[in-house]
Amino acid sequence: MTSLDGLDELYKEVILDHYHHPRHNHDLPEADVSSAGYNPLCGDEMFLQIKLREGKIEDIGVRGKGCSISQASGSMMAEALVGKSLDDAKDVIGAVRTLLEDRDGRPVASRDAQETLGDLEALSGVRNFPVRIKCALLPWTTLEEGIMRYEEKHAGS
Ligand code: ZN
């Protein structure tokens, strides 16, 4: 179990809520995209599936094991990406990567970015804990790899 000590109270609350009540925590039969990821630093595991419909993410299935930050991040990701196109999903993945890796201590955001990121903003608290960044990023990098493989396979079709 991860200690969330040092995280802002509000962020902690959001993360624990997603950890205890994970969204989209189910398998997806007939998924179009499947991807598994592992974070050896912490032992977190993530198995993700996407069902596409007319170019949009109709549903995401998130199965994982590991610390509260990795699992909460997966839950938040599913919630944020359902209904989006794969291109939009990649934009959000990029925004989260920036959010987590921008360690200058600047507050992330313009109000616009905060609105786009919603609950995901809670992940920004993890920036100050380098070991935890890999936990928070795991679902995002796992999904990104899955999308890339899917697009390679379907390129030119
Ligand atoms: Zn972890």
Side-chain angles (χ1 to χ4, degrees):
M1 240 337 261
T2 306
S3 162
L4 295 175
D5 289 351
L7 275 188
D8 181 280
E9 283 301 321
L10 180 65
Y11 290 166
K12 204 185 288 187
E13 223 169 85
V14 173
I15 286 171
L16 286 177
D17 180 57
H18 278 272
Y19 178 58
H20 291 302
H21 310 282
R23 280 56 147 186
H24 298 272
N25 179 232
H26 53 70
D27 291 321
L28 272 185
E30 298 170 42
D32 297 291
V33 179
S34 297
S35 191
Y38 176 58
N39 169 21
L41 285 178
C42 183
D44 308 315
E45 295 172 25
M46 196 56 61
F47 178 64
L48 301 169
Q49 294 174 298
I50 297 178
K51 180 71 189 154
L52 293 168
R53 191 186 171 88
E54 291 167 7
K56 299 233 159 104
I57 296 175
E58 184 179 50
D59 202 0
I60 299 184
V62 183
R63 290 291 199 187
K65 273 198 298 218
C67 71
S68 52
I69 290 173
S70 64
Q71 304 308 306
S73 183
S75 169
M76 286 183 212
M77 179 181 77
E79 201 165 56
L81 297 187
V82 166
K84 295 203 183 309
S85 67
L86 290 182
D87 279 343
D88 287 347
K90 284 190 285 188
D91 284 347
V92 178
I93 292 170
V96 169
R97 198 188 290 281
T98 305
L99 179 80
L100 286 169
E101 292 180 345
D102 178 5
R103 308 238 315 272
D104 300 346
R106 278 177 284 148
V108 178
S110 72
R111 183 166 291 273
D112 264 8
Q114 280 187 11
E115 273 168 19
T116 310
L117 290 169
D119 275 4
L120 297 175
E121 177 78 15
L123 294 174
S124 69
V126 173
R127 276 185 301 184
N128 303 320
F129 307 92
V131 179
R132 306 254 71 97
I133 292 175
K134 292 244 186 273
C135 302
L137 271 180
L138 178 67
W140 302 88
T141 52
T142 303
L143 196 75
E144 191 173 38
E145 283 163 20
I147 292 174
M148 275 167 52
R149 276 198 308 275
Y150 174 84
E151 290 185 331
E152 272 165 28
K153 210 167 84 184
H154 294 83
S157 66

